[in-house]
């Protein structure tokens, strides 16, 4: 079965410092990986995706993610955190089973708290 | 939140009543999805539809029903059979074909049942 894991419920970082939000995956075949962000009482916003190509993927709001096949990881990173980055972050993987769908399997989310 | 609208934003119901949550999209997407979000559990798939007049159960379909009579609309009914209906409900859609796999989400409806 395909799955993603976000091992940290919460990540705390000071404004201006680099941030990393971790995600590991388990899939059979090539993974299609995604990061989303959710602000309080809002829907999810797409940040970036890895389908194929360069292992370093750049996305919205200065975020990037590094695909590491040997470590089965897809960590979200940003060189300099902003207080406004504080939100809930979800990693997701495409579910290949069940036919030709775009079903996604989501992790449990990581709350990012950036202190001023 | 793109071209997906969910209404209402907050919904309150008494236990034992059915309630229908609205989801409309103007993105011309074929596939639509309903998720339930509870604290600490991420998103869980309730139902999804790949085309009009067709839909499939997700991981937690019991106590829910859907319809897909129009491409733009995918309403979710939370029935009285759903044991713990209080949650944040998210609707999403995705475009057809193999060129794009991400989903686009609506703003959500927070349902409280007392």
């Amino acid at each position: 079965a395909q799955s993603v894991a976000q091992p940290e419920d919460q990540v705390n970082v000071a404004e201006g410092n680099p941030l990393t939000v971790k995600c590991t995956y388990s899939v059979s075949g090539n993974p299609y990986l995604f990061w989303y962000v959710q602000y309080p009482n809002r829907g999810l916003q797409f940040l970036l995706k890895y389908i194929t190509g360069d292992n370093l993927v750049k996305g919205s709001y200065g975020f990037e993610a590094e695909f590491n096949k040997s470590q089965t990881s897809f960590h979200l990173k940003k060189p300099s955190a902003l207080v406004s980055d504080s939100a809930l972050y979800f990693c997701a993987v495409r579910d290949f089973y069940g036919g030709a769908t775009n079903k996604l399997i989501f992790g449990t989310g990581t709350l990012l708290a950036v202190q001023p | 939140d793109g071209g997906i609208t969910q209404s209402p934003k907050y919904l309150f119901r008494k236990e034992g009543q059915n309630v229908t949550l609205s989801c409309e999209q103007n993105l011309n997407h074929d596939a639509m999805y309903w998720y339930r979000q509870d604290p600490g559990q991420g998103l869980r798939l309730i139902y999804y539809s790949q085309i009009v007049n067709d839909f499939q159960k997700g991981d937690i379909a019991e106590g829910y029903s859907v319809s897909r009579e129009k491409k733009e609309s995918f309403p979710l009914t939370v029935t009285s059979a759903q044991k713990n209906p209080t949650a944040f409900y998210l609707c999403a859609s995705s475009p057809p074909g193999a060129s794009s796999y991400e989903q686009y989400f609506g703003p959500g409806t927070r349902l409280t049942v007392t």
Side-chain angles (χ1 to χ4, degrees):
Chain A
Q2 315 206 101
S3 64
V4 289
Q6 294 181 245
E8 302 157 315
D9 290 335
Q10 183 163 337
V11 170
N12 298 305
V13 64
E15 188 174 29
N17 284 359
L19 69 87
T20 298
V21 182
K22 296 180 180 178
C23 173
T24 59
Y25 65 89
S26 175
V27 301
S28 53
N30 294 322
Y32 292 15
L33 296 157
F34 306 82
W35 275 103
Y36 285 83
V37 60
Q38 184 182 35
Y39 297 98
N41 293 311
R42 300 289 298 276
L44 275 66
Q45 296 179 30
F46 170 75
L47 281 179
L48 51 80
K49 67 182 177 185
Y50 173 82
I51 304 297
T52 187
D54 290 341
N55 290 341
L56 187 63
V57 179
K58 294 189 181 297
S60 306
Y61 313 120
F63 284 94
E64 58 189 27
E66 186 171 9
F67 171 67
N68 188 317
K69 189 172 183 177
S70 62
Q71 297 186 6
T72 62
S73 67
F74 189 56
H75 301 332
L76 182 70
K77 300 180 179 184
K78 188 173 183 181
S80 179
L82 300 172
V83 172
S84 57
D85 292 330
S86 298
L88 188 58
Y89 290 81
F90 288 97
C91 182
V93 65
R94 184 188 178 209
D95 185 1
F96 281 90
Y97 293 99
T101 72
N102 288 343
K103 286 172 58 183
L104 298 179
I105 299 171
F106 286 86
T108 52
T110 298
L111 183 64
L112 174 67
V114 182
Q115 284 86 36
Chain B
D1 298 323
I4 301 178
T5 58
Q6 292 184 245
S7 60
K9 189 171 181 63
Y10 298 96
L11 192 53
F12 299 89
R13 281 294 183 269
K14 295 289 188 184
E15 192 173 326
Q17 293 179 334
N18 291 355
V19 59
T20 297
L21 282 59
S22 169
C23 178
E24 304 278 333
Q25 54 101 357
N26 62 3
L27 300 170
N28 200 34
H29 287 172
D30 287 323
M32 297 186 74
Y33 311 81
W34 272 106
Y35 293 92
R36 171 183 172 136
Q37 184 178 15
D38 296 283
Q41 296 196 47
L43 276 69
R44 293 183 290 169
L45 183 64
I46 305 172
Y47 268 98
Y48 64 99
S49 169
Q50 297 183 68
I51 57 172
V52 174
N53 293 322
D54 182 66
F55 49 82
Q56 306 294 330
K57 292 182 178 180
D59 301 318
I60 55 164
E62 185 176 351
Y64 300 97
S65 65
V66 294
S67 63
R68 187 84 187 276
E69 297 177 0
K70 299 186 301 181
K71 188 175 187 177
E72 301 80 16
S73 179
F74 191 40
L76 173 75
T77 297
V78 184
T79 74
S80 57
Q82 169 51 234
K83 301 298 184 190
N84 298 295
T86 295
F88 190 50
Y89 290 88
L90 288 161
C91 179
S93 68
S94 62
S99 61
S100 177
Y101 299 98
E102 62 264 32
Q103 294 179 10
Y104 298 82
F105 284 80
T109 292
R110 186 166 296 281
L111 173 64
T112 301
V113 177
T114 58

